[in-house]
Amino acid sequence: ANAPIFGVDTEGLVNVWNQCAMRLVGYCTNEVMGHSLVKEFITDDYKTAVQAVLDRALQGAETENFEFPLITKSGMHIEVLLNATARRDEQGCIIGVVGIGQDITARLAQENEYTKLIDTANAPIFGVDTQGKVNVWNQCAMQLVGYSSEDVMGKHLVQEFITDEYKAAVQSVLDQALCGEETANFEFPLITKGGVRLYVLLNATTRRNDRGNIIGMVGIGQDITGRLAQEREYSRLINTANAPIFGVDTQGRVNVWNQCAMRLVGYSADEVMGCSLVQEFITDDFKIAVQTVLDRALRGEETENFDFPLITKGGSRIEI
């Protein structure tokens, strides 16, 4: 077999040791047969746990996916994932235990490296299991929110750390990730330990085990609290400026319309937002010229001191 297989009798003495086990641990069959598996090949901190697995198997209770370390002939520790099953004779009496193992040393090393990279990343990273309970919380998340790993591990992310008005939306993002659908650039608020409201831009990714099964979600965040504050200040300055200011999106539809523009032209922001500036508010004789100016600006070319007329709500023509 291409998996390490070993067995013990009812006394815990090795009586099965295949070639894969020999290659993995370094001991040949003659060196292990009749020796106590637990006392001679298991690290001290795992002797009790491994003995408990063997005892359960000797009572007919199987154990799956039990992780434990084995000591190789050269003194190295290797990590093994074990399935332990009772071994029976032709009358059905239990005569020992047979274990089928898997060397997971390299996988655990990769997971440890992955954990270290997450923990030391300069972005807040958190994760939840399939129940929505926190199982990843890196140092940057701790510094940002103020809660230590001990404060949050095992707690429900949405119920305990998300504001009420965003609970449903954040839960939906988690549910999508747990169904294999990733979400990018999702904005939501987090409440810090000190009660401060922060805004986070989140990328939520499905987390899978080595068999491809979904085991949770990991989220990489960015604190955008400062940026949003700047944007609000920028919007306030535009809105209260003593000159008419307007803006359009890439389709030429109005998305900025300050108070001075409202007073000048007579249309409120609600009346113009989403409407085509050129088609609805520019006189026919200037539509092409104004559209050309907008097109150049959308390519990054600025235009200065361009005169054009606007039609007010009352039907008057004013020069801008």
Side-chain angles (χ1 to χ4, degrees):
N2 59 358
I5 299 176
F6 60 87
V8 297
D9 60 20
T10 55
E11 302 299 321
L13 305 179
V14 178
N15 59 4
V16 175
W17 194 260
N18 76 344
Q19 292 181 26
C20 191
M22 182 178 66
R23 290 192 299 269
L24 180 64
V25 187
Y27 292 101
C28 67
T29 305
N30 293 336
E31 292 177 296
V32 297
M33 286 296 187
H35 291 262
S36 171
L37 177 71
V38 172
K39 291 180 180 177
E40 299 191 42
F41 303 104
I42 305 299
T43 58
D44 289 342
D45 51 333
Y46 269 81
K47 289 188 190 304
T48 301
V50 173
Q51 187 62 57
V53 169
L54 298 183
D55 290 342
R56 284 199 297 271
L58 290 170
Q59 293 165 6
E62 298 183 359
T63 298
E64 294 184 352
N65 300 326
F66 174 71
E67 294 182 18
F68 71 101
L70 271 176
I71 304 171
T72 70
K73 190 172 182 176
S74 60
M76 291 179 57
H77 286 196
I78 57 173
E79 299 292 330
V80 174
L81 189 67
L82 176 71
N83 289 341
T85 307
R87 194 177 181 194
R88 300 174 185 269
D89 61 18
E90 58 273 14
Q91 283 82 37
C93 299
I94 294 174
I95 59 172
V97 178
V98 63
I100 302 174
Q102 178 187 352
D103 180 11
I104 58 171
T105 308
R107 191 196 82 189
L108 290 181
Q110 287 178 331
E111 289 178 357
N112 290 336
E113 180 65 16
Y114 171 73
T115 300
K116 186 180 76 169
L117 289 172
I118 284 179
D119 196 44
T120 58
N122 61 357
I125 299 177
F126 60 87
V128 298
D129 60 19
T130 54
Q131 303 300 312
K133 294 177 180 175
V134 178
N135 58 5
V136 175
W137 192 262
N138 77 342
Q139 294 181 32
C140 192
M142 180 179 67
Q143 292 158 6
L144 179 66
V145 187
Y147 292 101
S148 67
S149 295
E150 291 76 13
D151 291 328
V152 300
M153 286 297 184
K155 303 284 181 66
H156 198 280
L157 177 71
V158 172
Q159 295 304 318
E160 301 198 36
F161 302 104
I162 305 299
T163 58
D164 288 342
E165 73 271 24
Y166 269 82
K167 287 189 192 305
V170 174
Q171 187 63 57
S172 177
V173 168
L174 299 187
D175 291 342
Q176 286 167 5
L178 292 172
C179 292
E181 302 173 31
E182 299 184 356
T183 299
N185 299 326
F186 174 72
E187 292 184 18
F188 72 101
L190 270 177
I191 305 300
T192 71
K193 192 171 185 177
V196 177
R197 184 185 179 111
L198 298 177
Y199 285 89
V200 174
L201 189 67
L202 177 72
N203 288 341
T205 305
T206 304
R207 195 175 182 195
R208 300 175 185 269
N209 62 16
D210 57 340
R211 294 181 295 278
N213 298 322
I214 294 174
I215 57 172
M217 181 281 303
V218 63
I220 302 176
Q222 177 187 353
D223 180 12
I224 58 171
T225 310
R227 192 196 81 188
L228 291 180
Q230 288 179 330
E231 290 176 357
R232 284 193 293 269
E233 179 63 13
Y234 172 72
S235 296
R236 187 185 69 80
L237 290 173
I238 285 178
N239 197 40
T240 58
N242 58 1
I245 299 176
F246 62 86
V248 297
D249 60 21
T250 56
Q251 304 300 315
R253 298 189 179 103
V254 178
N255 57 6
V256 176
W257 193 262
N258 77 343
Q259 294 180 28
C260 191
M262 181 179 66
R263 291 193 297 269
L264 181 66
V265 186
Y267 291 103
S268 69
D270 291 338
E271 293 176 295
V272 300
M273 287 295 183
C275 297
S276 172
L277 177 71
V278 172
Q279 296 302 317
E280 302 193 38
F281 303 104
I282 305 299
T283 59
D284 290 342
D285 52 331
F286 267 83
K287 286 188 192 302
I288 294 175
V290 173
Q291 187 62 56
T292 300
V293 169
L294 298 185
D295 290 342
R296 284 204 297 263
L298 290 171
R299 293 195 300 265
E301 303 171 29
E302 298 182 0
T303 299
E304 295 182 357
N305 301 324
F306 175 70
D307 294 338
F308 70 99
L310 270 176
I311 303 171
T312 70
K313 188 174 184 178
S316 302
R317 177 184 174 120
I318 58 174
E319 299 294 328
I320 300 293

